[in-house]
Amino acid sequence: MSAPNRATLWGRILADEFAKGGLDAVCIAPGSRSTPLTVAFAEHPEIDVYSQLDERSAAYFALGRARRTGEPTALVCTSGTAAANFHPAVIEAAQARVPLLILTADRPPELRDSGANQTVDQTKLYGDAVRWYAELPEPEADERKVRSLRTTAARALSETLGVEPGPVHLNCPFRKPLEPIAVPGDVPDSFVQTTAGRGRDGPFVDTGGGTRTLADDDHRRLQNALTAADRPLIVAGPADPATLADLEPAAVADLADRLGAPVLADPLSGLRFGPHVGGADDGDDDSRTIYGGYDTYVPELPSPDVVLRFGASPTSKPLRNWLRDADARQFLVDPAGAWREATFTATDLLAADHGTVVDELLETVTAAEAGSDDAWRARFDAAERRHWAIRDAALTPDALESAPFEGAILASVVSNAPDPATVFVSNSMPIRDADRFARPRTAAVTMLANRGASGIDGIASTALGAGSTTDEPLVLVTGDLAFYHDSNGLLAVDRCDVDATIVLLDNDGGGIFHELPIEAFDPPFTDQFKTPHGVGFDALADAYGLEFDRVAPPAFADAYRRSLERAGTQVLAVEFDSAASHRRRDALETRVEDALDGFESDRD
Amino acid sequence: MSAPNRATLWGRILADEFAKGGLDAVCIAPGSRSTPLTVAFAEHPEIDVYSQLDERSAAYFALGRARRTGEPTALVCTSGTAAANFHPAVIEAAQARVPLLILTADRPPELRDSGANQTVDQTKLYGDAVRWYAELPEPEADERKVRSLRTTAARALSETLGVEPGPVHLNCPFRKPLEPIAVPGDVPDSFVQTTAGRGRDGPFVDTGGGTRTLADDDHRRLQNALTAADRPLIVAGPADPATLADLEPAAVADLADRLGAPVLADPLSGLRFGPHVGGADDGDDDSRTIYGGYDTYVPELPSPDVVLRFGASPTSKPLRNWLRDADARQFLVDPAGAWREATFTATDLLAADHGTVVDELLETVTAAEAGSDDAWRARFDAAERRHWAIRDAALTPDALESAPFEGAILASVVSNAPDPATVFVSNSMPIRDADRFARPRTAAVTMLANRGASGIDGIASTALGAGSTTDEPLVLVTGDLAFYHDSNGLLAVDRCDVDATIVLLDNDGGGIFHELPIEAFDPPFTDQFKTPHGVGFDALADAYGLEFDRVAPPAFADAYRRSLERAGTQVLAVEFDSAASHRRRDALETRVEDALDGFESDRD
């Protein structure tokens, strides 16, 4: 590791150490103070560099990439407010457990709080939102400092994938010259030899995290409860690839079959879509174990008596409330042992890896032991069938002509998605509509959303970041406010060479507010909540070189399929009246409820 | 103060108390959790509500308004990453001493760290960047809580204008119902009477900050040094209206005259433009006291022996270095007693209000006492005259035809600005060019920039926020990266009804990097630093309903004057080759230096 000066040396050692630890990508927002990092990453053969101009979008792009891969992505910015622009994505990464390595360049200590230009207090800038924070030592060709630097770099990368994956922040002070200019004597030739590493491949410190398994007593307790249950249930909440790495969807389906337990799979659980789903996609086959229509029907069904839960709180509020009101034993499994359960219904918190718990149950639970009521799963089968039949009737071209609503688009996006595909769904209404209207499929659809903090910021960037890591077709479904909010992120289509089909559900403002009581108070409803804005989305797309088409709801499925077959990025904008959509969602829900009422009373 | 429920009660008390304390505007980003605040502000007759959809832009808009007025502006957002989007503007407000009252809605305590949706840790979210942080009590019709709430509200507003003005953060937990829905018994009728306040106008607690004056000994020390100086100098660095409220520019000019001290006025000092400037605008009159061309000529002049400094570190690096290398007594006056002086040249730090120091010196210093060398100011006069003559020669239409550069536009923007006008200048190159090429004028040009942290984020929003408070014409000068970075902020033109002339200096990327040594290292220079992006700015302007014209440099002055005469917002885009501009700036500087070399050697 030779270098013309100490700042360059620092940058090169960091890039080298991160690469040895497995880092393969960095997203860089241009700036001067970060020059040693930028130059080192750009010259490193094993690290892909993505360049983004808005730090907020850069951070979400890196988040999306790390979210899709489950592997750390690094982020670089210069000093000042640039670093604060990372903050929203850092919070999302913290809450959703996405491995993000944040490198903020800083002025050296003597210039801080001195009135120096573009110098702000970056110490612990993200507060408790990071898993680890460290200030790097000032660059210097000193043997012990370099050992510390390599150790800190190895540790930082490792901490992003610790027991609870998440963001790690290194603040990196640099003094001029920042460029790779020769400074005689700054890095003596003799120094080059000693910093070459340890003479082996891999990082300076190899780390091993191991597996978190249940204690025998806890395992027996869980097994006994599940096998003794009359109405066992598995609920899979949102969880990202980094969290799910060890979980085999097929193993969950096996366990569910053996227990006679339906699996209620959140669209973000990694379990709603894939070959393990079982049953034909047309839904008339009762061999399924994975259920997706529960949002409308669980309130009509009897309560479970034992629940096994993975992941974060489910997106579906009716499901959360139904679980809250059940008088059930509820086991929450979480690898980090976190208490993420806002309805406070869990009776047992088990700190163990998802996959390990499932595999160990499969080793010890036999179908013969499991005593669940046959009628229990049959009820879910019937409800699921009715739910999708009624939904399908609402999605015919004729129905969409007379009564269009956004949920139909989400249904179509998923049912017409190629196999495999990555589908990123915005917060607010789109993810709720995906939850209700995206039917389980055997295709490998990876659905992602920023559900850690559920913001509508950074949506385009996160989606494009996710798409940058895979050759699968990428679909983004976004509302108009989220599309506007991160329109800067669209620059990544060109700069980072990502193709996408962007489905823009345009109801000119905050459609979700029609679902809230504030709708009845106007003013201030229209001006302060609904906020019609009139942004010219066709022009906005044009500014970033994207194709833009307005599509009527009945024509959407065809336009969508055509877009998926084409290269380049197309925006398919579908206009809706969100007040009318709200009424249509309600009507659809009532139809499902009515159908189930009859079904349930027939049984009684 | 009656209310249908406790959340509404809380919102109304807060709005009432803030209004009584003098708050007259709030910028609100839509959201659900903040409904009690939004509804209360929207219904309050004395508070103007600005609605913005992107929280980052909202925060900068509020910052701009507070920056221009020197009075607090409030900011409201919902819970989650929304609040983190405020962070960049909060840092700018902290560093530039802009009074900003940040109200973040939050989930109630029982939902925090529970996995509840859209719930993040907002406690001290902005770290040390706020002057005060408080968590509001949970809403309840309780007499003591209400007294606490009103006191906290009065205090928060007052703290934004404390000894060091700046941002204050109140985190505001609300529980459903958030809307003004009747909840019987929640706010008893009997409670209404007791919360009416104190039966007098004004806030619940009136606050008085007083004036910070020098101790007699310190005053004498300063006076003696200034009057004994051969080469006294006054340097006015960047300072905002909130900081300058008590400073009369004419008083500074008087003092300077009496001392025989040139005033080197940063374009952001509040002193470079205005009737106090003296001398005709054509610069051939030596009655000036305010000097603006120092960036190019101070290195050629002898050093001062006593310096009186106001404001933050000057924008001009040659000036900072010249002051650093002078063997001078340097008095830094700062109302907050902050040590904002990154070249570490100050010998005396005086914690006192600017205006008070100047007024007291005027009471005790007589011109007869002051013993400055006559030749001292004559040197500045000659240098200033030569600087502007050479600059003028570079700005003729012919010169601009053959050798255009961005500095010419900044010169024209200021010299052709109406009287009065507000001119907001982006960071990076534009403010540096304004510093070098914007000549002192007697017109009331208020030049502003985000010079606290010197980010290129939030530029359009800050400018439009500043413009929203005044009937003066508003001009924004921005580079293309800054224009892209806050293109979301352009929505305020329509939503907040602000007209502006936006001068877009388009060199397709980061022109400033041509001024740095990294230019010589390509790659990575072009891809990672210069970053040509190809954003279609005409389409971008169209998305927000703005007129857009491309103007050649020689035609700029005419197009600019026409735009200022018209209603609506026009974007005047002027394209430059930043590498060529860099060489032209250097050549101009050399011409000024050569001219002064001759002049100075004639004197020796």
Side-chain angles (χ1 to χ4, degrees), chain A residues 531-551:
Chain A
T531 60
H533 47 73
V535 172
F537 288 121
D538 47 351
L540 200 53
D542 186 38
Y544 296 104
L546 315 183
E547 297 171 44
F548 184 93
D549 286 305
R550 291 219 170 264
V551 181

Side-chain angles (χ1 to χ4, degrees), chain A residues 130-315:
Chain A
V130 292
R131 303 288 182 256
W132 191 51
Y133 165 84
E135 165 101 8
L136 293 187
E138 292 178 57
E140 191 180 350
D142 174 271
E143 176 69 15
R144 187 169 178 182
K145 272 195 173 181
V146 167
R147 292 176 70 90
S148 148
L149 183 69
R150 285 194 177 267
T151 303
T152 300
R155 177 172 173 186
L157 196 63
S158 173
E159 298 271 7
T160 65
L161 286 174
V163 170
E164 186 171 22
V168 166
H169 177 202
L170 296 182
N171 196 45
C172 313
F174 291 110
R175 195 176 288 108
K176 294 181 183 177
L178 305 163
E179 301 81 5
I181 294 168
V183 177
D186 216 23
V187 182
D189 287 348
S190 59
F191 192 74
V192 174
Q193 309 301 320
T194 61
T195 59
R198 301 195 186 237
R200 60 173 167 93
D201 287 341
F204 195 66
V205 183
D206 257 320
T207 51
T211 302
R212 200 160 183 187
T213 58
L214 288 181
D216 286 349
D217 281 358
D218 292 331
H219 175 78
R220 264 192 301 276
R221 184 157 53 105
L222 174 62
Q223 176 183 336
N224 292 343
L226 285 170
T227 51
D230 288 329
R231 299 182 305 283
L233 183 72
I234 297 177
V235 175
D240 266 352
T243 300
L244 294 174
D246 73 323
L247 186 69
E248 271 298 322
V252 180
D254 279 357
L255 178 65
D257 264 340
R258 219 175 281 183
L259 293 170
V263 179
L264 307 190
D266 194 276
L268 303 174
S269 65
L271 291 175
R272 193 181 282 194
F273 314 107
H276 64 286
V277 162
D281 278 1
D282 66 6
D284 286 336
D285 174 351
D286 279 354
S287 67
R288 75 173 68 73
T289 52
I290 303 292
Y291 298 78
Y294 50 82
D295 183 273
T296 43
Y297 63 70
V298 283
E300 312 299 320
L301 296 185
S303 294
D305 56 358
V306 177
V307 186
L308 175 60
R309 291 176 58 176
F310 302 108
S313 276
T315 304

Side-chain angles (χ1 to χ4, degrees), chain B residues 405-497:
Chain B
F405 74 111
E406 294 90 332
I409 305 299
L410 268 303
S412 180
V413 160
V414 171
S415 62
N416 292 304
D419 181 4
T422 297
V423 177
F424 193 94
V425 181
S426 175
N427 282 308
S428 200
M429 286 315 293
I431 186 59
R432 290 182 170 88
D433 278 339
D435 190 23
R436 289 178 235 188
F437 301 113
R439 185 182 203 150
R441 278 188 64 188
T442 54
V445 173
T446 301
M447 186 174 283
L448 300 171
N450 280 348
R451 208 60 191 162
S454 298
I456 60 160
D457 45 345
I459 296 300
S461 296
T462 315
L464 294 169
S468 73
T469 71
T470 163
D471 292 333
E472 297 174 9
L474 170 69
V475 181
L476 162 61
V477 184
T478 176
D480 53 283
L481 286 182
F483 187 75
Y484 156 79
H485 208 295
D486 189 31
S487 59
N488 278 3
L490 299 173
L491 191 56
V493 168
D494 178 55
R495 283 186 79 73
C496 303
D497 199 20

Side-chain angles (χ1 to χ4, degrees), chain B residues 92-104:
Chain B
E92 174 62 23
Q95 307 241 141
R97 302 180 171 171
V98 179
L100 211 54
L101 178 64
I102 303 134
L103 308 169
T104 56

Side-chain angles (χ1 to χ4, degrees), chain A residues 517-531:
Chain A
I518 194 67
E519 188 189 17
F521 300 89
D522 197 1
F525 174 75
T526 302
D527 288 348
Q528 303 299 333
F529 293 88
K530 177 66 170 92
T531 60

Side-chain angles (χ1 to χ4, degrees), chain A residues 28 30-32 35 38-39 42 49 51 53-56 60 81 84-85 87-88 91 95 110-111 113-121 125 128 176 179-181 313 317 339-342 344 432 451 453-455 457 481 484-485 487-488 491 494-495 513 516-518 521 524 527-529 531-533 535-536 539-540 542-544, chain B residues 28 30-32 35 38-39 42 49 51 53-56 60 81 84-85 87-88 91 95 110-111 113-121 125 128 176 179-181 313 317 339-342 344 432 451 453-455 457 481 484-485 487-488 491 494-495 513 516-518 521 524 527-529 531-533 535-536 539-540 542-544:
Chain A
I28 298 180
S32 175
T35 297
T38 304
V39 169
V49 174
S51 169
L53 304 184
D54 176 344
E55 294 82 7
R56 181 172 68 179
Y60 275 111
T81 54
N85 278 284
H87 202 167
I91 288 176
Q95 308 242 143
E110 70 271 18
L111 292 185
D113 197 18
S114 74
N117 191 39
Q118 213 177 317
T119 308
V120 311
D121 183 4
L125 187 68
D128 291 338
K176 294 181 183 177
E179 301 81 5
I181 294 168
S313 276
K317 192 172 181 176
W339 301 64
R340 298 195 302 176
E341 214 266 306
F344 312 110
R432 291 182 170 89
R451 208 58 190 165
S454 297
D457 44 346
L481 285 183
Y484 156 78
H485 208 296
S487 57
N488 278 3
L491 191 55
D494 178 54
R495 283 186 79 72
F513 293 107
L516 297 171
I518 194 67
F521 300 89
D527 288 348
Q528 303 299 333
F529 293 88
T531 60
H533 47 73
V535 172
L540 200 53
D542 186 38
Y544 296 104
Chain B
I28 298 179
S32 176
T35 297
T38 303
V39 170
V49 175
S51 169
L53 305 184
D54 176 344
E55 295 83 7
R56 181 172 69 179
Y60 275 111
T81 53
N85 278 284
H87 202 167
I91 289 176
Q95 307 241 141
E110 69 272 19
L111 293 185
D113 197 18
S114 74
N117 190 38
Q118 213 176 319
T119 308
V120 310
D121 182 4
L125 186 68
D128 292 339
K176 294 181 181 179
E179 302 81 4
I181 294 167
S313 275
K317 190 171 181 178
W339 300 63
R340 299 195 302 177
E341 214 266 306
F344 312 110
R432 290 182 170 88
R451 208 60 191 162
S454 298
D457 45 345
L481 286 182
Y484 156 79
H485 208 295
S487 59
N488 278 3
L491 191 56
D494 178 55
R495 283 186 79 73
F513 292 107
L516 296 171
I518 194 66
F521 300 89
D527 288 349
Q528 303 299 334
F529 292 88
T531 60
H533 47 72
V535 172
L540 200 55
D542 186 39
Y544 297 104

